[in-house]
Amino acid sequence: MKYLLSSVALVFISSFFWFFSFDSNLPVWKEKYNGVCWVGSRNPLQGGEFQELTANGINAISQTPFGWQSEINNPEIRWQVENDRQWWGESGRGISATLDSSQKFNIHNMLKPHLWARGSWPGEIEMTNEADWKIWFENYENFIVDYARLAEKEGIPMLCIGTELEKTSQREAEWRKVIQAVKNVYSGQLTYAANFTEYQQVNFWDELDFIGIQAYFPLSDKKTPNLKDLKRSWENHIQEIEKLVRKTGKPVLFTEIGYCNTVDAAKEPWVWPNERKEIALSEDIQAMCYQSFFETAYQKDWLAGVYFWKWYPEGKRRDPDFTPQGLQAEKVMQQYFLVD
């Protein structure tokens, strides 16, 4: 009996140390950023926009100004923090006013500048020679440092240093130089929004506070998926994310996640609404995609927050679209955000 008890104790102790050694590098984030990607409006806010957010349990927004690249292989980048031709909500003054208004409702802000690549998307930006790469990174550094200065001046607590720049992020040395330039002018928290196909290849997470993922993971090829299918897919993605979380010890932000209100939303969540005009609408599928996320990835302690793409200050505007506003998906989001 004595030997049996000793064996049991040994197994218990071994299991105890295995458990803590296995999960010792998994961060625990207590209060999540329950966020949406805020669409900068053409005109100044009218009032009441943030009451709608808090009624849904939303406590965070990302704000997105733009830089412009005429061709994916052209190193020139155009931007202006202030420009009379900009939409008000994407200008420096609009960002500042949105910050001030949202903070009255204890809504956390992240500044998340994007590059707009004409005729393509940022993940295709790639130079064809070393000379152009040098120019591109010089321009990009100036672009993001300008917005880092704005974030520091306005007291914006979090800055995303880049979004979906998949063919540039493998150039680690250049990105570390960009990050240092940002840190020279900005004292807040930093992330990078890696595409869901990119995040495992990024090698500068150690310089940032959060692993950022644009979480448009495919969930099902089925014509009519069910919740079990979607959750099973999420579990597979979660396993891969956790490998990186253990390696880095960093919490994760889903810097974007979203689903169109169409029957094919789970298959290729990243497809733009303009390419879905002939696809049948479905609130049910969109809502099911939301629910599958909330019942899986959202429950993980290492997930520091999530930002749903996207939220219009003036309300829902078109079909199909990514926004949950006025749809079943909004009710699903509200259910989990208010409980959290």
Side-chain angles (χ1 to χ4, degrees), residues 294-313:
F294 278 113
E295 293 187 7
T296 55
Y298 186 73
Q299 303 301 318
K300 296 298 180 179
D301 289 336
W302 45 256
L303 188 70
V306 57
Y307 295 80
F308 280 99
W309 183 272
K310 56 189 174 175
W311 193 273
Y312 298 105

Side-chain angles (χ1 to χ4, degrees), residues 175-194:
W175 271 102
R176 288 184 181 273
K177 181 176 179 293
V178 169
I179 293 167
Q180 187 55 57
V182 168
K183 288 182 176 181
N184 288 342
V185 301
Y186 178 68
S187 58
Q189 293 181 308
L190 298 176
T191 190
Y192 168 78

Side-chain angles (χ1 to χ4, degrees), residues 227 231 286-296 332 336:
L227 183 60
K231 290 174 66 174
Q286 183 190 37
M288 190 188 305
C289 289
Y290 270 63
Q291 187 174 351
S292 71
F293 159 74
F294 278 113
E295 293 187 7
T296 55
V332 175
Y336 286 90

Side-chain angles (χ1 to χ4, degrees), residues 83-106:
N83 185 329
D84 291 339
R85 298 177 62 185
Q86 288 172 305
W87 282 24
W88 175 86
E90 296 172 4
S91 67
R93 64 188 182 280
I95 290 167
S96 176
T98 300
L99 172 72
D100 290 344
S101 297
S102 63
Q103 284 185 326
K104 295 174 184 176
F105 295 88
N106 295 316

Side-chain angles (χ1 to χ4, degrees), residues 258-272:
Y259 305 95
C260 272
N261 56 328
T262 53
V263 294
D264 65 342
K267 183 178 180 180
E268 296 176 320
W270 60 88
V271 173
W272 203 243

Side-chain angles (χ1 to χ4, degrees), residues 55-333:
N56 279 284
I58 296 164
N59 63 19
I61 61 172
S62 61
Q63 294 199 61
T64 300
F66 287 91
W68 306 89
Q69 196 161 326
S70 61
E71 298 176 11
I72 57 174
N73 306 125
N74 186 330
E76 300 302 322
I77 301 171
R78 295 182 296 106
W79 76 94
Q80 285 184 295
V81 176
E82 293 292 353
N83 185 329
D84 291 339
R85 298 177 62 185
Q86 288 172 305
W87 282 24
W88 175 86
E90 296 172 4
S91 67
R93 64 188 182 280
I95 290 167
S96 176
T98 300
L99 172 72
D100 290 344
S101 297
S102 63
Q103 284 185 326
K104 295 174 184 176
F105 295 88
N106 295 316
I107 292 174
H108 183 272
N109 275 244
M110 170 169 62
L111 188 62
K112 188 169 177 279
H114 284 206
L115 286 188
W116 185 276
R118 185 183 298 275
S120 186
W121 68 293
E124 292 296 321
I125 292 173
E126 183 179 27
M127 300 302 106
T128 58
N129 58 71
E130 287 301 311
D132 281 354
W133 272 121
K134 185 175 185 296
I135 295 170
W136 187 88
F137 270 102
E138 288 173 352
N139 288 333
Y140 190 82
E141 180 179 312
N142 290 332
F143 162 71
I144 199 63
V145 165
D146 267 1
Y147 282 104
R149 288 195 179 99
L150 174 67
E152 182 72 11
K153 174 187 173 185
E154 300 297 339
I156 299 175
M158 189 183 296
L159 174 68
C160 182
I161 63 166
T163 298
E164 297 178 0
L165 293 164
E166 189 164 353
K167 292 186 177 179
T168 79
S169 61
Q170 298 174 29
R171 301 180 72 94
E172 181 181 350
E174 290 97 324
W175 271 102
R176 288 184 181 273
K177 181 176 179 293
V178 169
I179 293 167
Q180 187 55 57
V182 168
K183 288 182 176 181
N184 288 342
V185 301
Y186 178 68
S187 58
Q189 293 181 308
L190 298 176
T191 190
Y192 168 78
N195 198 39
F196 70 94
T197 56
E198 170 195 11
Y199 73 94
Q200 293 166 306
Q201 281 73 54
V202 173
N203 291 318
F204 48 81
W205 292 126
D206 59 297
E207 293 278 3
L208 307 176
D209 298 288
F210 302 93
I211 296 168
I213 301 176
Q214 303 283 92
Y216 297 104
F217 297 100
L219 299 182
S220 178
D221 285 330
K222 292 184 178 180
K223 187 175 181 179
T224 54
N226 58 43
L227 183 60
K228 184 177 179 181
D229 296 328
L230 305 188
K231 290 174 66 174
R232 186 185 301 114
S233 181
W234 263 116
E235 293 298 343
N236 292 332
H237 298 309
I238 287 168
Q239 288 180 20
E240 293 302 311
I241 296 170
E242 283 191 351
K243 290 178 184 178
L244 182 61
V245 174
R246 286 194 178 92
K247 179 181 176 181
T248 63
K250 302 284 185 178
V252 173
L253 288 173
F254 282 174
T255 43
E256 284 181 28
I257 187 173
Y259 305 95
C260 272
N261 56 328
T262 53
V263 294
D264 65 342
K267 183 178 180 180
E268 296 176 320
W270 60 88
V271 173
W272 203 243
N274 289 349
E275 300 174 45
R276 300 182 189 261
K277 290 181 178 179
E278 304 303 318
I279 305 299
L281 299 178
S282 175
E283 285 191 45
D284 292 339
I285 295 295
Q286 183 190 37
M288 190 188 305
C289 289
Y290 270 63
Q291 187 174 351
S292 71
F293 159 74
F294 278 113
E295 293 187 7
T296 55
Y298 186 73
Q299 303 301 318
K300 296 298 180 179
D301 289 336
W302 45 256
L303 188 70
V306 57
Y307 295 80
F308 280 99
W309 183 272
K310 56 189 174 175
W311 193 273
Y312 298 105
E314 65 274 27
K316 187 175 179 295
R317 298 193 307 192
R318 63 176 179 175
D319 282 317
D321 206 346
F322 278 97
T323 181
Q325 288 166 275
L327 303 175
Q328 294 176 29
E330 182 177 1
K331 295 178 182 177
V332 175
M333 182 178 68

